[in-house]
Amino acid sequence: MIHRIETFSSEEKDCAVELVDLALQPSNRDYHILVADRDGTLVGYVCYGPTPMTEGTYDLYWIASDPKVRGQGVGASLVSRMEADLRGRQARIIRVETSATESYGPTRGFYAALKYTEEARIRDFYKVGDDLIILTKRV
């Protein structure tokens, strides 16, 4: 599924797969994964975990949905389930990092619709002309 997402670069795809592999290790305590499926077929997932050296702060590391189901609420449902889980863990803040490039505009719109707000921006972080945007939501 990850390899079908056109927005992700090959480096991003490799990172996403690596996080899933780490989350599935029996000794894992840092990453949580929730999945969405339709008729037994994976259509999306979210990977998140506690932010090191913080109290009650969590990172949403990765979210992806199959391009075939985009716009059908899969991502929003996954984020809602993640937020419910984090409320149970006494989370205070969820943090998301994303790109400022035009291709990530729909992603930023997705987070804005879910009430994530821009907290910080580091200009030219990823490369010249590609800012890092840090979004947060209080739970």
Side-chain angles (χ1 to χ4, degrees):
M1 180 195 76
I2 291 167
H3 294 288
R4 290 193 302 273
I5 300 174
E6 65 284 344
T7 309
F8 295 164
S9 69
S10 58
E11 286 179 310
E12 290 169 320
K13 291 174 185 179
D14 291 346
C15 182
V17 170
E18 182 180 340
L19 281 176
V20 169
D21 288 344
L22 288 170
L24 297 176
Q25 295 297 315
S27 60
N28 167 54
R29 292 185 180 168
D30 297 324
Y31 304 102
H32 307 285
I33 289 188
L34 298 172
V35 299
D37 75 280
R38 292 216 175 133
D39 302 319
T41 300
L42 177 71
V43 294
Y45 79 96
V46 62
C47 178
Y48 59 99
T51 306
M53 298 184 289
T54 67
E55 292 179 6
T57 302
Y58 286 77
D59 283 306
L60 189 166
Y61 291 111
W62 216 270
I63 185 167
S65 60
D66 193 300
K68 295 177 186 175
V69 300
R70 200 155 299 135
Q72 298 178 19
V74 171
S77 174
L78 285 165
V79 170
S80 177
R81 288 174 45 210
M82 175 197 72
E83 290 173 355
D85 178 54
L86 292 178
R87 278 191 292 279
R89 296 173 189 270
Q90 284 74 52
R92 298 178 305 110
I93 299 170
I94 301 170
R95 186 176 73 108
V96 179
E97 295 182 356
T98 192
S99 168
T101 59
E102 185 178 331
S103 63
Y104 273 83
T107 301
R108 293 188 305 276
F110 167 79
Y111 287 120
L114 297 174
K115 308 295 186 217
Y116 285 76
T117 58
E118 184 172 326
E119 193 75 32
R121 180 182 291 245
I122 303 173
R123 307 250 180 244
D124 301 321
F125 181 82
Y126 294 107
K127 61 184 176 188
V128 173
D130 188 0
D131 302 348
L132 163 67
I133 298 174
I134 301 171
L135 307 170
T136 62
K137 183 174 184 179
R138 297 207 176 255
V139 224

